Amino acid sequence: MTVLVAAQQTETPDALPSRKARLAYRAGLVASTAGVAPGYVQGNLAILPAEYAGAFHRFCQLNPKPCPIIGMSDVGSPFIPSLGADLDIRTDVPRYRVWRDGEVVDEPTDVSKYWRDDLVTFVLGCSFSFEEALLEEGMPIRHIEKNVRVPMYRTNIACGEAGPFAGPMVVSMRPFKPADAIRAVQITSRYPAVHGAPVHLGHPHLIGIKDIAKPDYGDPVPVADDEIPVFWACGVTPQSVINAAKLPFAITHSPGLMLVTDLKNRAMAVI
């Protein structure tokens, strides 16, 4: 697996906006991380018992658009130094989901009491990174404007299967005027480590979305008459798969409330 290394930073570690955000969440702040710590990569979480880690790693390899791995822990370790020197997976996310037999049984702000010595953490790239590139091009991001979580939907797009992991892809949606949608494709294609180009434009029903106003995760946002919905593969996909696999135990982030890392978004661009 390729290990991503944080770009050199002029700030001292204590002054990093990413670390300040993690400390706030560690202290109990619960809020969407969209637009938080501009310039820094955010990640989706999938924390699984070691016996499932190999199969999940293979699942990510088969499904790189929804599940691009940007970090992985040692067995039993709550730390991933390559993503942040003081980062603690157990405390530094605004809200978690604890899963048993494929169902959410708790949504705490700290999972220390659930931590086990056999857990492996996967951190997957997040679309919030390419949103920064879109904003820099002057393209509006509706859920940021509305200060809500990005809308996410389960689709009829089947993921590649690995062991117990199989199920539909989850996508996130942002509305754009057609010309801006074309530009969004061009911009986000440069960021394959954080989902890359969209997987679908327009016609939500063609990918199994019955009502664009009723997302499965996150919050609805308006789509104007002169706009089309643009859909990107989403790192919440593992949660749909964990549900389908009925895993006996797992921990994830709550959709829209991500892990803020010390990696720089610019390091994710390939061209």
Side-chain angles (χ1 to χ4, degrees):
M1 182 185 70
T2 301
V3 177
L4 299 175
V5 179
Q8 287 186 340
Q9 298 154 341
T10 57
E11 307 100 326
T12 62
D14 287 347
L16 293 180
S18 51
R19 183 173 187 272
K20 290 181 178 179
R22 290 197 302 273
L23 290 176
Y25 303 136
R26 192 180 300 176
L29 175 66
V30 179
S32 169
T33 56
V36 170
Y40 292 87
V41 174
Q42 298 188 27
N44 303 274
L45 284 188
I47 304 173
L48 308 169
E51 64 180 298
Y52 298 104
F56 185 76
H57 191 275
R58 177 62 176 157
F59 177 81
C60 293
Q61 291 176 320
L62 292 172
N63 302 280
K65 287 189 77 69
C67 302
I69 298 174
I70 61 172
M72 183 176 172
S73 75
D74 292 330
V75 178
S77 175
F79 310 113
I80 307 178
S82 64
L83 301 184
D86 76 322
L87 186 152
D88 190 327
I89 292 296
R90 299 167 296 186
T91 59
D92 292 1
V93 171
R95 188 175 295 283
Y96 302 81
R97 284 182 158 184
V98 178
W99 301 73
R100 293 193 187 278
D101 300 318
E103 300 295 333
V104 176
V105 296
D106 194 7
E107 294 192 75
T109 58
D110 183 319
V111 292
S112 297
K113 71 177 183 180
Y114 291 106
W115 197 257
R116 301 175 4 183
D117 291 340
D118 67 334
L119 295 180
V120 178
T121 298
F122 294 84
V123 182
L124 310 177
C126 170
S127 57
F128 290 169
S129 290
F130 70 61
E131 285 182 349
E132 181 175 285
L134 294 173
L135 290 169
E136 288 177 352
E137 292 285 331
M139 301 178 66
I141 306 295
R142 187 66 40 78
H143 64 273
I144 293 179
E145 292 177 334
K146 299 292 185 181
N147 195 31
V148 297
R149 296 179 299 167
V150 64
M152 295 161 274
Y153 308 83
R154 288 191 296 270
T155 71
N156 59 13
I157 303 171
C159 292
E161 299 182 13
F165 300 105
M169 182 186 297
V170 175
V171 296
S172 60
M173 188 278 291
R174 295 155 189 81
F176 289 107
K177 294 181 179 179
D180 285 341
I182 294 171
R183 183 63 180 141
V185 172
Q186 296 172 327
I187 292 169
T188 58
S189 294
R190 299 177 56 219
Y191 295 86
V194 287
H195 304 308
V199 296
H200 187 75
L201 288 79
H203 300 300
H205 67 279
L206 293 180
I207 57 172
I209 298 172
K210 295 180 180 179
D211 189 344
I212 197 78
K214 296 180 179 180
D216 295 296
Y217 313 94
D219 301 301
V221 298
V223 180
D225 290 341
D226 61 347
E227 295 177 327
I228 61 173
V230 182
F231 300 94
W232 279 265
C234 178
V236 172
T237 296
Q239 300 194 27
S240 176
V241 171
I242 287 169
N243 172 259
K246 305 301 180 186
L247 288 193
F249 181 77
I251 300 172
T252 67
H253 67 291
S254 182
L257 286 75
M258 321 298 293
L259 175 70
V260 182
T261 79
D262 292 347
L263 296 179
K264 287 294 186 71
N265 284 328
R266 63 172 179 262
M268 300 292 106
V270 295
I271 55 175

